[in-house]
């Protein structure tokens, strides 16, 4: 998903850390699908990076949640029932 969205490796590694933290240290996974946590982590880490790194000033386009969902729907494991 991150590769398809064109996210840098640094952002990808932070997303992995965020998902692992949510799985191990919180009750967030309770009654949620793993894909929901991943999608939210992609959005949240991307948003923090975009705001803190001055990416807006350098011309890097912010990734919207709508774009993330559209990209997610193109993945082979995506199922309308999920």
């Amino acid at each position: 998903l991150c590769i398809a969205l064109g996210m840098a490796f640094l952002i990808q590694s932070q997303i992995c850390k965020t998902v692992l933290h949510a799985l191990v240290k919180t009750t967030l996974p309770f009654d949620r699908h793993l894909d929901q946590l991943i999608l939210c982590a992609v959005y949240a880490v991307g948003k923090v990076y975009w705001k803190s790194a001055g990416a807006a000033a350098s011309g890097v386009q912010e990734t919207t949640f709508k774009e993330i969902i559209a990209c997610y729907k193109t993945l082979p494991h995506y199922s309308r029932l999920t």
Side-chain angles (χ1 to χ4, degrees):
L1 182 64
C2 293
I3 293 169
L5 289 167
M7 294 184 160
F9 179 76
L10 178 66
I11 298 171
Q12 293 176 34
S13 96
Q14 191 60 45
I15 290 168
C16 288
K17 289 177 188 176
T18 302
V19 171
L20 285 174
H21 179 79
L23 289 172
V24 176
K25 305 273 184 179
T26 70
T27 59
L28 285 174
F30 185 71
D31 285 340
R32 288 186 177 82
H33 197 279
L34 180 60
D35 287 0
Q36 289 176 317
L37 291 173
I38 294 170
L39 291 170
C40 290
V42 168
Y43 177 74
V45 172
K47 179 71 106 175
V48 168
Y49 168 77
W50 192 77
K51 289 199 181 252
S52 67
S58 66
V60 175
Q61 188 69 24
E62 180 180 13
T63 304
T64 65
F65 197 74
K66 191 173 187 176
E67 292 169 334
I68 293 168
I69 295 297
C71 186
Y72 171 74
K73 288 180 178 180
T74 66
L75 297 177
H77 75 279
Y78 170 74
S79 169
R80 189 95 170 110
L81 301 174
T82 314

